[in-house]
Amino acid sequence: MSTGELLGIEPLELKFPFELKKQISCSIQLSNKTDDHVAFKVKTTNPKKYCVRPNTGIVLPRSTCDVIVTMQAQKEAPPDMQCKDKFLLQSVKTNDGTNPKDINAEMFNKEAGHVVEECKLRVVYVSPPQPPSPVPEGSEEGSSPRASVSENGNVNSADFPTVTKAFTDRPEAKALISRLTEEKNNAVQVNNKLAQELELLKREANKSGGGVPIMFVILIGLLGIILGYLMKKT
């Protein structure tokens, strides 16, 4: 803010988020520090480029006034985004009954003996605000991030629980898991039954005192075939 005796001026740099082919505005706030009426006038080194509203006016005692500066749409960006444009804000005490329409250039003429305060404002171009990142399709804000997959097709281990949950929630996945679980249970039952029959045959063979019954050999073969088939399916 300026340290003038009449008006406080904020800001002293006019910052425009520069974008091509787009009008951009910023505001200046004038604060009357006195108990008098203060007249002001805004000038610029490039009047064709900027529109100032109001460019003249009266600030009432202990009150504020906003001035809007609009930069016209530009067709090309300046080199290195540097701007040499400047503004000059002049202020002077005036009579209580002065109307904004009564303001004229003679009021700001120092040679006529008027006490005129002047404040120079510079123009600065800044980068425009970046838009928020779009939410990926199929996801919702606040949901867990999707699993990342490396170039060789491997899923990142840190994201594996997310991938597993996404897969198991699908109807076809649930049906496949249910079928595999049922087949596994059936295989366990068959294996237990064959193991019991094998134990009985061993006991009968021990009681007979020698030789291996032909049924024992057949059951051993069947057991191997069944277990091999079940291992391939699971």
Side-chain angles (χ1 to χ4, degrees), residues 53-101:
R53 292 290 182 272
N55 62 342
T56 61
I58 302 289
V59 186
L60 300 179
R62 306 296 176 182
S63 63
T64 61
C65 175
D66 289 331
V67 176
I68 305 300
V69 181
T70 301
M71 182 177 66
Q72 304 301 321
Q74 301 298 299
K75 295 181 180 180
E76 57 184 19
D80 300 325
M81 292 294 287
Q82 299 297 317
C83 183
K84 297 181 180 180
D85 300 334
K86 290 180 174 59
F87 285 80
L88 178 67
L89 195 147
Q90 298 176 304
S91 57
V92 63
K93 289 183 180 180
T94 185
N95 298 326
D96 293 355
T98 304
N99 191 285
K101 294 181 180 181

Side-chain angles (χ1 to χ4, degrees), residues 83-124:
C83 183
K84 297 181 180 180
D85 300 334
K86 290 180 174 59
F87 285 80
L88 178 67
L89 195 147
Q90 298 176 304
S91 57
V92 63
K93 289 183 180 180
T94 185
N95 298 326
D96 293 355
T98 304
N99 191 285
K101 294 181 180 181
D102 299 329
I103 298 175
N104 53 63
E106 183 62 24
M107 296 174 62
F108 302 95
N109 187 357
K110 295 181 180 180
E111 296 180 357
H114 299 293
V115 180
V116 181
E117 282 191 357
E118 294 183 340
C119 179
K120 293 181 180 180
L121 311 175
R122 60 190 295 259
V123 176
V124 178

Side-chain angles (χ1 to χ4, degrees), residues 5 20-21 42 52 60-63 68 75-77 84 93-94 112 126-127 157 177 185 191-192 204-205 212 223:
E5 295 181 1
L20 290 175
K21 301 179 181 179
V42 183
V52 183
L60 300 179
R62 306 296 176 182
S63 63
I68 305 300
K75 295 181 180 180
E76 57 184 19
K84 297 181 180 180
K93 289 183 180 180
T94 185
V126 297
S127 300
S157 59
I177 292 173
N185 293 336
N191 186 33
N192 292 337
E204 290 179 1
V212 180
L223 178 61

Side-chain angles (χ1 to χ4, degrees), residues 7 27 83 92 96 102 106 115-116 131 134-135 138 140 143 148 162 167 172 186-187 190 203-204 211 218 233:
L7 294 180
S27 64
C83 183
V92 63
D96 293 355
D102 299 329
E106 183 62 24
V115 180
V116 181
V135 178
E140 295 181 359
S143 62
S148 58
T162 304
F167 176 77
E172 56 268 27
N186 292 337
V190 172
R203 290 176 183 177
E204 290 179 1
I218 294 173
K233 291 194 67 177

